[in-house]
Amino acid sequence: MSKSTSETRVRVRRRSWARVLIPAVLIIAWLVGAGLGGPLFGKVGEVSSNDQTSYLPSSADATKVQELLGEFNDSDAIPAIVVFVGDAELDEEQLAAIDDAIAGTVDVEGIADEVSPAIPSEDGRAVQAFVPISSDADLGDTVAALDDELRDAAPSGVTVYVTGPAGFSADLVAGFAGIDGLLLGVALLAVFLILILVYRSLLLPIVVLSTSMFALCVALLVVWWLAKWEILLLSGQTQGILFILVIGAATDYSLLFVARFREELRSTKDKGAAIMASWKGSIEPIAASGGTVIAGLLCLLLSDLKSNSTLGPVASIGIIFAMLSALTLLPALLFAFGRAVFWPRRPKYEPEAVEAENGMATKGLWARLASGIKRRPRLIWIVTTLVLVAGAAGATQLNATGVPQSDLVLGESAARDGQVALGAHFPGGSGSPVYVVVAEDALQDAADVLLDNDGIDSVAVTAADSPSGTASVTADGIAAFGPPGTPAPEPTVVDGDVMLQGTLTDAADSDAAATTVRDLRTDLADLDALVGGVTATSVDTNDASIHDRNLIIPIILAVILVILMLLLRSVLAPVLLILTTVLSFGTAMGVSALVFNGIFDFPGADPAVPLYGFVFLVALGIDYNIFLMTRVREESLKHGTRQGILRGLSVTGGVITSAGLVLAATFAALSVIPILFLVQLAFIVAFGVLLDTFIVRSLLVPALSYDIGRAIWWPSKLGRGER
């Protein structure tokens, strides 16, 4: 045996070992990462917060007041408002029993301080009290325990409600409770069923879903620790979007890779060579689509609202691991199983048939559609555009100016029922006052402004030496709380400032209360006063959200346009792709508005709904155009633009449609979480993805591109060189 022959055999053996070893190492590495991240499901609540104020910019008045609140009250407890309502006017025996019930709440775990005394209503039919809940307590459990305690102790003929900030926060906690289990279960089941129908195989869907779940586990591992170290801010809303986005994106990228792998197996006998060819053909569109989504998400960092800005890096981390799993773990698993992964429909090794087809399907839906576009491209894209424009006209009916806090949770809400009962017997804003921080020497001037506003029922000032912690303020000054002749308490002063509390006439989350806050800010401007509280937080959140929407949407469009120009080496094609995607988004919003108003009768939408819908629909919608147009460009280099368009459509039609169905199904799964924002986002994105998949990418883009011809690639050489 010659030396050269021996060396050749050694190199062959090394390559053989490498081909086996590298996939094994990749699978083991992902198993370790998933093993570390998997146990964190169910523990996200330990590192997340749903406190709306914590997401406001530090410059917002509501944020500044919230930071000062603890200094004036010497407590960061979350107030729960307890309301007792009698079937008739409450008698002495019932009132005594209610007092005992309120006093007994101090024994409930999680109650922070002494409970305030009962306050009877003017009509004598109701009593309210303020119960502070520790900020360190499990809010949901504490509110539930408080409710049980009060119901057991309430006298006959009296109904008990727990509402206020603590009650509504507990409702949100309960609403997000299904994220770790129900949401994931529904999403995975929906995707699994779609994959079964697409591949008619049992093993391949399991491999694809394993790729998605491993990506999610590792992404959660990274995000959880970043939130633990307070580098990122995490909420239930962000968590839900992360879960859905990773599963949907990782599955889409996997579908693209699997489609390439199936193609290669028909012309390549060696599974290793087929994997490498698939990897080379998939890396550009997967990296480009993932990079586009990440670029769009990172534009959210420009947001004033931390709930928006923190979603950018959290979701981007998820997309990164979705791409990595599709380009590393999936190829390793496919190499391990080979053709058997497609059982019972294993692709045959048939290079002659592939050569005869010349890379283009001649039968089936997508071949017929390509043929139809070839015959009448202009008619197809004009009619499609007109239909989409008609649908987009409904977007003007979308009321995205904000919704009351009481409507954030869908279905039954004990806190909402309690607020209705509270408003029927007390001023609507009881328990959720407007806080005004003003210089001590301007106390009376500020109080007079509040008293002159019809939206304010009464005014008090924080006073540490008062039994209730506050003292009433009238036009004549601070009122004494004792018998005649008792001196008025001194207000609490912090760095020369005092804090006034105005009880709102209307419910704290109503439009009327928001108007009152805006009016107060205008009237108190000369006194350099800060206006905060629950209502002010909602006002500042909506204002910041509208600002973010108007700023970020144009920036996302510009960033994605640049990426497409670099990817397609063209100017005209990216501009047209952006325009068609924006039109698709407008139609999705228009139809959604009609559905929200006419079918579901929603009270409105958060200002962030259009922004989030835009980010996901445009970034993810461009994904499918990237999948299509990168293949079209590849085919155009060989066969010319018009033929390349038809080939690209026929080859990618099935996989892109499958990817669209998967992504729509995963986002639709968000609707199982009874939070208005997530239900609306689920419908908008699911409908928009289906619209983009079946109409825009299947009809509008190919027909328009075919009608334009080689000029679509202007100003590249491909646009000038084709006949």
Side-chain angles (χ1 to χ4, degrees):
M1 180 185 301
S2 67
K3 182 178 180 182
S4 61
T5 303
S6 176
E7 290 176 348
T8 300
R9 290 184 176 181
V10 169
R11 286 196 297 268
V12 169
R13 282 197 294 269
R14 285 176 179 173
R15 283 198 295 268
S16 298
W17 273 105
R19 290 180 61 182
V20 175
L21 186 60
I22 292 174
V25 169
L26 288 172
I27 293 172
I28 292 171
W30 279 98
L31 278 171
V32 171
L36 294 173
L40 297 179
F41 287 102
K43 295 184 178 181
V44 180
E46 298 176 7
V47 295
S48 65
S49 169
N50 294 306
D51 178 14
Q52 198 174 22
T53 308
S54 65
Y55 291 94
L56 282 171
S58 58
S59 59
D61 280 8
T63 307
K64 295 176 180 177
V65 172
Q66 184 68 26
E67 292 171 350
L68 292 170
L69 197 57
E71 298 185 37
F72 281 100
N73 295 334
D74 196 27
S75 171
D76 59 355
I78 304 169
I81 305 173
V82 177
V83 186
F84 297 83
V85 180
D87 297 336
E89 187 172 344
L90 298 171
D91 57 31
E92 292 297 327
E93 184 178 345
Q94 287 175 316
L95 289 172
I98 290 173
D99 284 338
D100 291 340
I102 294 172
T105 59
V106 296
D107 296 328
V108 176
E109 185 177 355
I111 302 303
D113 302 303
E114 291 186 7
V115 180
S116 68
I119 304 172
S121 63
E122 291 185 3
D123 60 12
R125 288 193 53 191
V127 168
Q128 68 166 319
F130 304 103
V131 180
I133 296 178
S134 173
S135 58
D136 298 327
D138 186 308
L139 196 59
D141 290 345
T142 301
V143 168
L146 177 63
D147 185 66
D148 291 340
E149 172 75 17
L150 292 173
R151 288 180 187 277
D152 292 341
S156 177
V158 175
T159 305
V160 182
Y161 303 94
V162 179
T163 185
F168 285 115
S169 295
D171 276 355
L172 282 174
V173 170
F176 284 118
I179 281 185
D180 289 332
L182 181 62
L183 176 61
L184 271 179
V186 170
L188 292 174
L189 178 61
V191 173
F192 183 73
L193 292 176
I194 292 172
L195 293 178
I196 287 284
L197 292 174
V198 169
Y199 291 119
R200 300 175 196 176
S201 164
L202 182 62
L203 182 56
L204 186 57
I206 293 174
V207 168
V208 171
L209 277 184
S210 298
T211 302
S212 302
M213 278 303 299
F214 279 36
L216 179 57
C217 289
V218 179
L220 180 61
L221 174 65
V222 174
V223 168
W224 195 92
W225 280 105
L226 290 176
K228 177 77 171 178
W229 297 328
E230 298 183 355
I231 297 173
L232 294 177
L233 195 60
L234 197 58
S235 68
Q237 176 178 294
T238 304
Q239 176 190 352
I241 292 173
L242 172 68
F243 285 7
I244 290 302
L245 191 60
V246 173
I247 292 174
T251 304
D252 277 4
Y253 301 150
S254 297
L255 288 173
L256 183 66
F257 192 98
V258 168
R260 278 281 191 170
F261 184 52
R262 185 195 287 272
E263 281 185 52
E264 295 297 334
L265 286 177
R266 294 184 63 204
S267 56
T268 306
K269 202 166 191 178
D270 181 68
K271 64 179 181 179
I275 289 288
M276 288 305 301
S278 303
W279 197 87
K280 291 176 182 178
S282 301
I283 186 171
E284 183 179 32
I286 290 176
S289 68
T292 302
V293 176
I294 290 171
L297 289 168
L298 291 181
C299 289
L300 291 173
L301 288 171
L302 300 173
S303 171
D304 280 345
L305 274 181
K306 294 178 184 176
S307 56
N308 293 340
S309 62
T310 193
L311 176 65
V314 169
S316 296
I317 289 170
I319 293 295
I320 288 171
F321 285 106
M323 290 192 296
L324 288 175
S325 65
L327 291 172
T328 58
L329 176 60
L330 179 64
L333 292 173
L334 291 177
F335 180 83
F337 289 105
R339 295 175 191 271
V341 77
F342 294 97
W343 183 88
R345 303 179 67 197
R346 301 187 187 191
K348 298 178 181 178
Y349 174 59
E350 44 186 4
E352 297 83 4
V354 172
E355 187 176 349
E357 293 171 5
N358 197 19
M360 181 173 176
T362 56
K363 298 184 295 182
L365 171 64
W366 299 105
R368 292 195 299 271
L369 184 59
S371 178
I373 289 174
K374 181 179 181 179
R375 289 195 303 270
R376 295 186 175 179
R378 187 164 301 174
L379 176 64
I380 290 175
W381 75 257
I382 289 177
V383 171
T384 304
T385 300
L386 291 175
V387 171
L388 293 174
V389 169
T396 58
Q397 303 302 310
L398 182 66
N399 176 22
T401 57
V403 293
Q405 184 183 29
S406 55
D407 289 322
L408 293 179
V409 178
L410 299 175
E412 295 183 0
S413 168
R416 186 190 304 131
D417 296 340
Q419 180 170 284
V420 172
L422 184 69
H425 302 282
F426 296 92
S430 296
S432 300
V434 172
Y435 294 108
V436 177
V437 178
V438 68
E440 182 182 8
D441 57 7
L443 186 156
Q444 191 60 51
D445 292 336
D448 290 341
V449 170
L450 268 69
L451 291 166
D452 288 341
N453 192 300
D454 293 336
I456 299 296
D457 181 78
S458 60
V459 179
V461 64
T462 303
D465 54 350
S466 169
S468 63
T470 61
S472 296
V473 183
T474 67
D476 298 324
I478 301 175
F481 58 83
T486 303
E490 291 293 325
T492 301
V493 181
V494 176
D495 295 331
D497 292 332
V498 294
M499 176 176 283
L500 294 169
Q501 299 181 27
T503 300
L504 290 159
T505 304
D506 305 288
D509 63 352
S510 65
D511 290 339
T515 300
T516 297
V517 167
R518 294 187 187 278
D519 291 343
L520 289 176
R521 284 177 168 173
T522 300
D523 297 339
L524 292 167
D526 293 339
L527 300 178
D528 292 328
L530 296 174
V531 180
V534 172
T535 308
T537 297
S538 178
V539 168
D540 289 345
T541 299
N542 287 340
D543 289 350
S545 191
I546 292 171
H547 165 269
D548 292 346
R549 185 177 70 199
N550 296 338
L551 170 69
I552 293 173
I553 285 178
I555 293 176
I556 290 176
L557 284 176
V559 169
I560 292 178
L561 180 62
V562 171
I563 293 175
L564 287 176
M565 287 179 178
L566 294 173
L567 176 67
L568 299 177
R569 291 85 158 173
S570 167
V571 171
L572 182 58
V575 169
L576 292 177
L577 291 179
I578 287 288
L579 290 176
T580 57
T581 305
V582 170
L583 178 58
S584 175
F585 166 73
T587 305
M589 296 304 296
V591 173
S592 297
L594 298 177
V595 171
F596 294 165
N597 298 336
I599 298 178
F600 296 132
D601 195 26
F602 287 149
D606 189 279
V609 166
L611 174 61
Y612 278 45
F614 182 86
V615 169
F616 293 121
L617 281 182
V618 171
L620 296 172
I622 285 293
D623 269 10
Y624 300 132
N625 284 327
I626 288 175
F627 290 168
L628 171 65
M629 295 305 288
T630 52
R631 187 59 181 259
V632 166
R633 190 176 190 282
E634 180 182 328
E635 297 291 340
S636 297
L637 290 170
K638 301 174 184 176
H639 306 286
T641 296
R642 285 194 167 93
Q643 189 67 11
I645 290 168
L646 301 180
R647 288 173 174 274
L649 177 61
S650 65
V651 171
T652 64
V655 64
I656 295 178
T657 301
S658 301
L661 287 172
V662 165
L663 193 64
T666 52
F667 266 93
L670 278 174
S671 60
V672 303
I673 304 300
I675 303 297
L676 179 63
F677 178 92
L678 293 181
V679 170
Q680 291 177 326
L681 184 64
F683 182 88
I684 290 171
V685 177
F687 176 79
V689 166
L690 293 177
L691 180 71
D692 195 77
T693 301
F694 287 99
I695 304 298
V696 177
R697 196 270 315 152
S698 299
L699 296 173
L700 178 56
V701 170
L704 181 59
S705 301
Y706 190 92
D707 195 20
I708 294 173
R710 67 182 182 183
I712 195 77
W713 306 114
W714 180 87
S716 69
K717 292 181 179 179
L718 184 58
R720 300 191 304 270
E722 185 196 352
R723 57 183 183 275

